[in-house]
């Protein structure tokens, strides 16, 4: 069996891979944009914080002041407040999705006009 000798003027496989255009991956520009926009992460963190603080805070604020020690009603109020935060998150997410669709529609409309 014979082996192929590399001539000094030839590039090795590894050197060819480093060159731009040598492979499809090498010719593509890298996209370093974040997968999730920062405003989405901020909204998620805000609603997470609200989901923890509002129900617990409403329970302890109402158990002795509004409901005079009745923890059942205070617990029910905390559950209602947790659902209110959840509904608020769903509404914000739906509005954001609608605004994204409208922005995409405007982009396609401007491309059609050209």
């Amino acid at each position: 069996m014979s082996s192929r000798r590399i001539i000094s003027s030839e590039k090795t496989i590894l050197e060819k891979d480093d060159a731009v255009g040598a492979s499809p991956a090498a010719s593509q520009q890298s996209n370093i944009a974040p997968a999730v926009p920062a405003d989405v992460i901020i909204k998620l963190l805000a609603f997470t914080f609200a989901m923890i603080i509002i129900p617990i805070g409403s329970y302890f604020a109402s158990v002795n002041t509004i409901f005079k020690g009745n923890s059942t009603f205070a617990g029910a109020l905390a559950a209602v407040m947790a659902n209110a935060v959840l509904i608020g998150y769903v509404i914000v997410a739906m509005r954001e999705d609608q605004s994204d669709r409208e922005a995409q529609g405007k982009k396609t409309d401007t491309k059609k006009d050209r």
Side-chain angles (χ1 to χ4, degrees):
M1 285 211 290
S2 65
S3 62
R4 183 170 184 261
R5 293 183 185 177
I6 297 176
I7 302 171
S8 62
S9 63
E10 282 185 3
K11 291 186 175 182
T12 65
I13 300 281
L14 295 175
E15 290 171 339
K16 286 181 183 178
D17 276 347
D18 290 340
V20 175
S23 68
S27 64
Q28 294 176 353
Q29 295 291 331
S30 64
N31 184 5
I32 58 170
V36 180
D39 61 332
V40 173
I41 293 174
I42 291 170
K43 286 177 192 174
L44 180 64
L45 290 175
F47 276 100
T48 301
F49 184 72
M51 192 65 180
I52 294 168
I53 298 300
I54 290 176
I56 294 172
S58 66
Y59 173 82
F60 285 112
S62 67
V63 72
N64 290 324
T65 57
I66 298 172
F67 299 117
K68 310 280 190 249
N70 190 345
S71 62
T72 303
F73 290 145
L77 177 66
V80 169
M81 295 307 290
N83 285 318
V85 171
L86 250 157
I87 290 169
Y89 180 72
V90 169
I91 290 171
V92 168
M94 287 176 59
R95 284 189 181 169
E96 182 178 329
D97 188 38
Q98 288 174 352
S99 66
D100 288 346
R101 287 184 190 163
E102 289 173 2
Q104 256 183 350
K106 288 180 182 177
K107 284 182 184 177
T108 56
D109 288 343
T110 57
K111 287 181 182 178
K112 289 179 183 177
D113 292 339
R114 292 182 189 176

